[in-house]
Amino acid sequence: MIKKLLIANRGEIALRIHRACQEMGIATVAVHSTADSEAMHVRLADESVCIGPPNAAQSYLNIPAILAACEITDADAVHPGYGFLSENAGFAEILEAHDIIFVGPKAQHIRDMGDKIAAKQLMRAAGVPVVPGSDGAVTNDDAPAIAEKIGYPVLCKAAAGGGGRGMKVAETAETLLETLATARAEARAAFGDDAMYLEKYLGTPRHIEVQVMADAHGGVVHLGERDCSLQRRHQKVLEESPSPILPMEQREQIGAIVTKAISTFGYLGAGTIEFLYQDGQFYFIEMNTRLQVEHPVTEMVTNIDLVREQLRVASGLPLSFAQSDIAFSGHAIECRINAEDPRSFAPSPGRITQFHPPGGLGVRVDSAVYAGYTIPPYYDSMIGKLIVHGRDRQECIMRLRRSLREFVVDGIKTTISLHQDLIEQPDFQSGSYDIHWLEKYLAGQ
Ligand code: MV4
């Protein structure tokens, strides 16, 4: 079993990982930039190491500094959290070469899923439904015929993409090559890789993702889905489980399909399989090979500690449960609380003067801030997550309403009021929203 874990992250996820370690008797090492000396993850950990200046490239992304911190503290494992080095296959390989456990999948799976073309081919071959499109990369010579076959509108996507960069819709054959060139140039600039593929453009899908976990003993499970359709500029704002519109039989169907798929390629650890869902059909788009920000909604409806299971699996132990042990119960919703102006979304770093998180039955707050803490301007603006559970979606929304009212964060601007407005919208309450709903709503505000 892992004895000492280095947490290569900051903020709420560093605390989340530390908490699982405490319960399992694993010692923790925090790493931090010079801007984070006063951060809660540093205070809570058993030991801490400063790894560099504020800018993430020289601290939280600084592989030699993190390796040195492992050496100094004699850590035998690293949990990367999300973001930063969590999907860096090279980092996973370097740790392995130093006999340090990377709490995550095998480097090859990180690499495969990072290439969206390879990921789609692997998934399709394993029986997962994918968006109709080109089977592989396209050139200016073969793209027009492929697009004609797919049918317009088509979406030009970057193989190295994600987060919407290097992605453009071509409405007609007349604009295809120009659109492809624009997207290709964006991909080259953003990723240094301009391989492109084409997909049928789905106009009004929902974003539904399935949580999976696998161990090294043949144990493979799915933990249901999360509906993450409420996004702004490819940033999720609110997530829920179960999806308000997915029939029970289809949950089991897609769960069986994805567990079978990841068994065939010997996946290890936690993963998320992202789908677009439109007209009652699932279409695979991408797989994330990390723990995700929104994992607590799954924990709330399954009562399973996903970080604990990640640490077990990384140590070579089996998952502590089988598929038949999972009892999905009730409904959970997560609101991401950002230090931002709720209208302009401009970042609002600064000193938090008062901090009173809500509590009570079914309420969970994952945050690393405290009264008197100064939010540095160098990192992303998410300062916490409010996750609420209820016996059904209606009870969950009632509890969310009262928790948002109770939440006090003074001294900075936050998105709490945005969530208060959002949950009163009839479309939200009826569950009638697709991936474009939130941006349309905000445009009309
Ligand atoms: C799509 C799509 C429509 N059709 N693919 C955006 C980010 C990237 N990872 C996948 N994305 C999309 N792929 C096809 N074939 C629409 C989006 C998309 C989107 C997806 C999920 C959540 C929010 C979104 C917002 C805009 C576009």
Side-chain angles (χ1 to χ4, degrees):
M1 188 66 204
I2 296 167
K3 289 196 192 68
K4 192 190 272 192
L5 180 83
L6 184 141
I7 302 166
N9 216 301
R10 64 185 301 281
E12 67 85 21
I13 197 62
L15 262 64
R16 169 69 191 86
I17 296 161
H18 171 80
R19 287 173 176 142
C21 289
Q22 285 280 291
E23 293 179 9
M24 297 170 81
I26 299 172
T28 59
V29 179
V31 293
H32 66 92
S33 70
T34 52
D36 276 343
S37 305
E38 303 299 315
M40 201 54 160
H41 78 280
V42 176
R43 295 192 184 183
L44 277 191
D46 297 303
E47 291 174 77
S48 66
V49 181
C50 181
I51 52 166
N55 113 47
Q58 293 176 80
S59 51
Y60 297 104
L61 291 167
N62 183 342
I63 295 176
I66 291 167
L67 271 183
C70 289
E71 295 287 329
I72 292 166
T73 58
D74 202 24
D76 49 12
V78 173
H79 195 307
Y82 51 69
F84 296 127
L85 296 169
S86 61
E87 292 177 290
N88 185 317
F91 181 56
E93 276 166 353
I94 291 168
L95 289 176
E96 194 189 354
H98 287 76
D99 274 320
I100 299 167
I101 296 170
F102 175 75
V103 182
K106 297 164 196 161
Q108 192 53 50
H109 288 140
I110 300 176
R111 196 163 273 130
D112 287 342
M113 296 307 164
D115 176 343
K116 310 303 170 193
I117 293 176
K120 212 175 151 182
Q121 285 169 340
L122 278 169
M123 288 293 177
R124 193 156 83 115
V128 178
V130 301
V131 188
S134 61
D135 185 29
V138 296
T139 63
N140 283 352
D141 293 337
D142 62 11
I146 294 168
E148 211 57 55
K149 223 174 110 197
I150 297 167
Y152 286 90
V154 299
L155 191 53
C156 306
K157 288 188 169 182
R165 280 190 301 177
M167 196 178 96
K168 292 264 180 289
V169 185
E171 296 288 349
T172 62
E174 286 67 53
T175 57
L176 175 70
L177 289 180
E178 180 190 324
T179 306
L180 183 60
T182 308
R184 200 186 285 281
E186 202 175 297
R188 192 182 312 123
F191 315 113
D193 172 357
D194 68 358
M196 301 293 301
Y197 63 109
L198 303 182
E199 275 185 354
K200 175 84 196 163
Y201 176 68
L202 302 177
T204 57
R206 298 177 74 111
H207 171 127
I208 299 180
E209 57 185 33
V210 181
Q211 177 73 54
V212 294
M213 283 222 64
D215 64 26
H217 305 266
V220 184
V221 298
H222 76 86
L223 295 107
E225 81 285 3
R226 297 182 288 258
D227 195 317
C228 309
S229 301
L230 294 171
Q231 308 203 1
R232 176 186 173 270
R233 299 196 181 168
H234 302 291
Q235 295 292 319
K236 294 167 185 163
V237 170
L238 178 153
E239 306 97 344
E240 59 182 316
S241 184
S243 168
I245 51 97
L246 188 67
M248 174 87 88
E249 314 79 66
Q250 234 187 333
R251 165 170 320 117
E252 277 157 26
Q253 245 171 45
I254 197 70
I257 290 170
V258 297
T259 48
K260 185 166 162 245
I262 69 159
S263 309
T264 65
F265 44 83
Y267 190 77
L268 190 74
T272 299
I273 313 202
E274 292 187 354
F275 293 94
L276 297 177
Y277 181 82
Q278 185 176 296
D279 304 324
Q281 297 282 120
F282 277 103
Y283 302 93
F284 168 80
I285 47 171
E286 289 171 26
M287 178 169 182
N288 301 319
T289 55
R290 61 170 188 278
L291 183 71
Q292 292 197 241
V293 174
E294 61 272 23
H295 76 277
V297 299
T298 298
E299 295 187 320
M300 298 289 261
V301 297
T302 61
N303 225 4
I304 289 167
D305 181 335
L306 290 176
V307 178
R308 182 188 181 93
E309 298 302 324
Q310 282 190 296
L311 294 167
R312 285 179 61 91
V313 165
S315 303
L317 295 171
L319 290 166
S320 71
F321 60 91
Q323 188 71 53
S324 57
D325 298 321
I326 304 174
F328 295 100
S329 168
H331 197 94
I333 299 179
E334 171 178 277
C335 294
R336 297 191 186 195
I337 315 290
N338 294 349
E340 289 172 356
D341 182 301
R343 296 189 149 270
S344 69
F345 297 95
S348 176
R351 185 166 182 270
I352 295 178
T353 53
Q354 299 280 350
F355 186 71
H356 293 292
L361 182 62
V363 178
R364 167 174 172 182
V365 175
D366 279 17
S367 176
V369 307
Y370 53 87
Y373 175 70
T374 300
I375 300 159
Y378 311 105
Y379 312 106
D380 86 32
S381 63
M382 196 183 72
I383 56 160
K385 309 181 301 203
L386 168 62
I387 311 104
V388 170
H389 183 263
R391 285 171 298 182
D392 53 32
R393 190 169 186 266
Q394 205 191 336
E395 185 178 81
C396 188
I397 293 173
M398 289 195 299
R399 191 163 278 158
L400 185 54
R401 180 181 294 119
R402 87 77 184 147
S403 301
L404 287 164
R405 264 190 212 144
E406 214 174 296
F407 213 144
V408 177
V409 185
D410 285 346
I412 57 159
K413 293 176 187 169
T414 77
T415 51
I416 291 173
S417 62
L418 165 72
H419 287 292
Q420 288 182 294
D421 295 343
L422 173 56
I423 68 168
E424 300 310 332
Q425 298 309 309
D427 286 342
F428 174 75
Q429 292 186 354
S430 64
S432 321
Y433 57 81
D434 64 23
I435 60 169
H436 304 296
W437 187 91
L438 182 60
E439 295 205 11
K440 279 191 231 159
Y441 166 70
L442 292 170
Q445 280 293 92

